[in-house]
Amino acid sequence: MTKTPGWVSVQKAEELLGIDRKTLFKYRDDGTLKLGPHFAAFPETRSRDSYRWNVGAVRKQLQKQNKLMAMPMA
């Protein structure tokens, strides 16, 4: 079993989660995903668009709220 990566770019999060950035940002903005456990700023962050995403935590949260189909942790 492959480990889920930790903090990744929005491009990588889109790929791993199977959702587009518009939807990911909607969940960030509506409070579904929280600063800290789900996304965070790092020293190289210059805007909200360059936050890093915790794919494992995002996947768990979205599955819990039935906003993402259950996917095996490949």
Side-chain angles (χ1 to χ4, degrees):
M1 178 167 22
T2 305
K3 254 184 131 173
T4 301
W7 297 97
V8 301
S9 68
V10 69
Q11 295 87 356
K12 190 69 174 173
E14 287 178 292
E15 176 188 322
L16 293 170
L17 294 167
I19 59 175
D20 63 27
R21 99 181 33 215
K22 183 177 175 183
T23 302
L24 199 55
F25 290 172
K26 179 185 90 160
Y27 292 149
R28 175 193 67 194
D29 294 342
D30 73 9
T32 299
L33 301 175
K34 306 287 186 203
L35 179 63
H38 304 117
F39 62 92
F42 286 81
E44 70 277 4
T45 302
R46 299 290 179 242
S47 71
R48 292 174 12 131
D49 292 340
S50 59
Y51 284 150
R52 296 285 179 172
W53 297 84
N54 182 331
V55 173
V58 169
R59 180 178 283 123
K60 273 187 186 176
Q61 180 67 14
L62 295 181
Q63 287 173 344
K64 180 176 158 185
Q65 295 187 7
N66 294 317
K67 294 183 178 186
L68 185 70
M69 290 180 48
M71 295 172 54
M73 303 287 281

